[in-house]
Amino acid sequence: MDMTNEQYLQYVAKKAKPSPLGKDMAWAFVTGGLICTLGQGLQNFYQHMGMAKEEAGTAVSMTLILVAALLTGLGLFDKIAKRAGAGTLVPITGFANAMVSPALEFKAEGLVTGTAAKLFTVAGPVLVYGISSSVVYGILLVLLLRW
C-alpha cells in the first residue's frame, strides 16, 4: 500500500484516540509531585539520621535511582508510567528507567553484547553532550573571568 505522507497522517489521525489532556496533566502533576515529595522526605530522613545536607542529597539521588531501577526491573515502572505519563520523567527516575530498560530488553543477547552494550544506548548521548557542554562552559567561564 503506497501512501503519501499526507495520506498517512490523515490515516493515523482517524485511528488515534484523543488523549484526555486535562486528566493526563493532573496525573503527571500528582505523580511528579509525589516523587519529589518522596525525595524531600528522604532528604529529611537522612539529615535526621546525622548526614550533612550535601551528603543527604547524594543519598537521596542514589535511593531514587535504586528504586526506579528496581521498579523497572520488576516491570512496575512501566505500569506506573502508563498511568502517570510525564510525571515519572522527573529527571532522576526517568534517567534510571532509560538506563535499565534497554539493558533488560537485550539481556537475551548476553551479558556483554546485550546488557552491557545496550545499557548506555539512551544514557550515552546524554552523558557525552552533558560532559561536552560542561567542558565548553568551563572554558568560556575561565576565558571570560580572565578578561
Side-chain angles (χ1 to χ4, degrees):
M1 172 191 256
D2 288 332
M3 285 188 191
T4 65
N5 285 342
E6 188 177 309
Q7 290 171 327
Y8 177 73
L9 290 175
Q10 289 174 351
Y11 174 76
V12 169
K14 276 193 245 175
K15 296 290 182 181
K17 293 183 202 174
S19 173
L21 189 59
K23 181 179 164 188
D24 288 349
M25 289 189 320
W27 271 111
F29 179 79
V30 169
T31 306
L34 286 173
I35 292 170
C36 293
T37 302
L38 172 65
Q40 185 61 54
L42 287 168
Q43 173 90 12
N44 295 345
F45 172 75
Y46 289 136
Q47 284 182 296
H48 180 74
M49 296 304 289
M51 289 185 174
K53 186 175 184 177
E54 189 173 310
E55 292 170 347
T58 302
V60 168
S61 296
M62 291 170 31
T63 303
L64 289 175
I65 289 169
L66 175 66
V67 168
L70 286 173
L71 289 174
T72 300
L74 296 171
L76 298 174
F77 194 93
D78 290 338
K79 290 177 182 175
I80 295 168
K82 186 176 183 179
R83 167 70 68 139
T88 56
L89 296 180
V90 174
I92 201 154
T93 55
F95 188 70
N97 175 260
M99 293 258 320
V100 174
S101 292
L104 289 173
E105 186 177 337
F106 291 95
K107 70 180 179 181
E109 293 181 20
L111 184 62
V112 174
T113 58
T115 303
K118 298 298 181 182
L119 188 63
F120 292 103
T121 305
V122 173
V126 172
L127 294 172
V128 168
Y129 288 111
I131 292 168
S132 299
S133 63
S134 68
V135 168
V136 170
Y137 176 78
I139 291 170
L140 290 174
L141 187 63
V142 167
L143 291 174
L144 290 174
L145 289 177
R146 292 204 180 229
W147 288 7

